[in-house]
Amino acid sequence: MPRHFLDLDRFDENTLRQLLCLGEEFKKGNSHSQAPLSGKTLAMVFEQPSTRTRVSFEVGMRQLGGDVVLLSESESQLGRGETIADTARVLSRYVDGIMLRTKSSENLEELAQHSTVPVINGLTDLTHPCQILADIMTFEQHKGPITGRRVAWLGDGNNVAASWIQASVKLGFPLCLGCPQGFGPEATLIEWAISEGGDVLLTEDPEEAVRGVDCIVTDVWVSMGDRDPKRRHELLQPYQVNQRIMSLAKNSAIFMHCLPAHRGEEVTADVIDGPQSVVWDEAENRLHAQKGVLAWCMS
Ligand code: CP
Ligand code: NVA
């Protein structure tokens, strides 16, 4: 069975810590071998647009001594109906790992099921684990160990929020999500978190969600593939992260956003461009954290 990196809930705390540690070592430049993936190739398959995931995986692979091949849905036979299963079987004969960004988590499952090389989740409609690994790394670089620290998610309970919930359970930190009715995370995910003993709370009150927290996280109101942007904007407006919302968190709280951001919508410019924002470190850490994932999966 290849070492896939599909979702955070499939790992135990020790393995997540091992991945983060590997990423840290690469960032510091003192890992045992700086080219552990020499001679290896990663296929990067994109069914959706990307800036950070695309560039950080490609640069990361090259820094680890490997190479990449890029496939988009429209420019490959995927766009003409070749199945994910057949694509997995074929790519497995050429490359040593596959990273997929997809509109449907079922495509990721199908790819992993039929691939004989490791598969990495580069975002689905349901989760974004590489992002949250980088986010945890960023939190800890600024504020120390995350275990027991309080994090608030404000806005749409989307794919990024789902991976935060999984991280909260696995790494043991309280997470409070402030989301409007109908835009919370899937009920089954909250039920899972509670059944695992996680400290995950869902509220419709944005102020309750952020009071006294160490970190406020948000994301776009309209994710790739979402419909009805007008309704989303109306309902999500009270969940905007602005100075008033930041002032309810700890004075030392940080602000995080996976990017791309829409200033004036989910976050005001004075917050994302202000002193509490760590969004550029977060973007940089995609590279380091994913080098940990690539080395763990493929070396
Ligand atoms: N945060 C993130 O995944 O960005 P991209 O969509 O640019 O890859
Ligand atoms: N929730 C966003 C994240 C983009 C990185 C989306 O899925 O579009």
Side-chain angles (χ1 to χ4, degrees):
M1 173 82 164
R3 276 188 158 183
H4 298 312
F5 182 78
L6 301 180
D7 271 314
L8 302 181
D9 63 351
R10 308 196 192 193
F11 294 97
D12 57 24
E13 183 175 3
N14 282 345
T15 313
L16 289 177
R17 281 282 157 214
Q18 192 191 336
L19 286 164
L20 284 162
C21 207
L22 263 170
E24 288 282 0
E25 291 302 305
F26 284 122
K27 183 169 187 175
K28 288 184 202 138
N30 47 4
S31 100
H32 302 304
S33 163
Q34 283 299 311
L37 299 186
S38 171
K40 305 225 170 176
T41 303
L42 176 76
M44 309 193 298
V45 184
F46 285 94
E47 294 178 355
Q48 300 269 33
S50 166
T51 297
R52 279 145 288 270
T53 305
R54 158 81 207 272
V55 177
S56 55
F57 267 106
E58 179 158 348
V59 170
M61 264 311 276
R62 293 198 199 290
Q63 289 180 356
L64 295 173
D67 207 344
V68 294
V69 175
L70 178 70
L71 281 98
S72 68
E73 190 187 26
S74 60
E75 289 164 350
S76 69
Q77 297 290 5
L78 279 169
R80 296 184 62 249
E82 184 163 24
T83 66
I84 294 272
D86 286 353
T87 305
R89 293 180 181 111
V90 172
L91 290 180
S92 297
R93 300 290 178 105
Y94 298 133
V95 301
D96 307 282
I98 307 170
M99 189 278 296
L100 174 68
R101 167 164 289 196
T102 175
K103 295 168 207 164
S104 150
S105 60
E106 285 159 17
N107 288 351
L108 182 78
E109 294 302 333
E110 188 177 337
L111 189 78
Q113 203 183 327
H114 297 279
S115 171
T116 56
V117 299
V119 169
I120 297 172
N121 178 353
L123 180 147
T124 74
D125 53 333
L126 298 187
T127 55
H128 197 4
C130 289
Q131 179 67 53
I132 278 47
L133 213 55
D135 291 357
I136 302 296
M137 181 183 266
T138 309
F139 181 99
E140 298 199 326
Q141 284 165 0
H142 282 271
K143 309 216 55 76
I146 196 163
T147 301
R149 310 295 287 281
R150 293 179 56 210
V151 176
W153 174 276
L154 226 52
D156 184 19
N158 63 16
N159 46 3
V160 179
S163 287
W164 267 103
I165 292 172
Q166 294 176 348
S168 146
V169 170
K170 292 292 168 177
L171 298 175
F173 60 89
L175 177 68
C176 190
L177 300 108
C179 310
Q181 204 177 21
F183 289 88
E186 299 227 357
T188 50
L189 183 56
I190 302 282
E191 285 160 19
W192 168 81
I194 299 196
S195 73
E196 292 286 309
D199 189 350
V200 174
L201 202 79
L202 181 61
T203 171
E204 286 173 32
D205 180 351
E207 298 192 2
E208 182 192 349
V210 301
R211 207 160 278 129
V213 297
D214 296 284
C215 175
I216 299 180
V217 195
T218 192
D219 187 14
V220 289
W221 289 341
V222 184
S223 283
M224 295 180 274
D226 279 344
R227 288 191 219 107
D228 210 350
K230 191 164 168 287
R231 179 157 173 270
R232 289 180 156 270
H233 278 248
E234 281 162 14
L235 288 171
L236 286 155
Q237 186 62 49
Y239 299 81
Q240 180 190 66
V241 181
N242 49 37
Q243 285 297 356
R244 186 184 58 80
I245 285 287
M246 286 306 294
S247 73
L248 299 172
K250 283 193 186 143
N251 288 338
S252 58
I254 54 173
F255 168 75
M256 296 180 102
H257 189 311
C258 66
L259 306 176
H262 293 95
R263 289 172 176 76
E265 295 181 13
E266 74 275 6
V267 59
T268 52
D270 54 0
V271 170
I272 194 169
D273 299 320
Q276 287 169 284
S277 170
V278 297
V279 298
W280 312 120
D281 292 340
E282 218 182 325
E284 178 187 329
N285 282 332
R286 288 293 300 279
L287 171 67
H288 309 299
Q290 286 162 197
K291 282 168 78 175
V293 172
L294 287 165
W296 182 82
C297 288
M298 288 168 67
S299 62

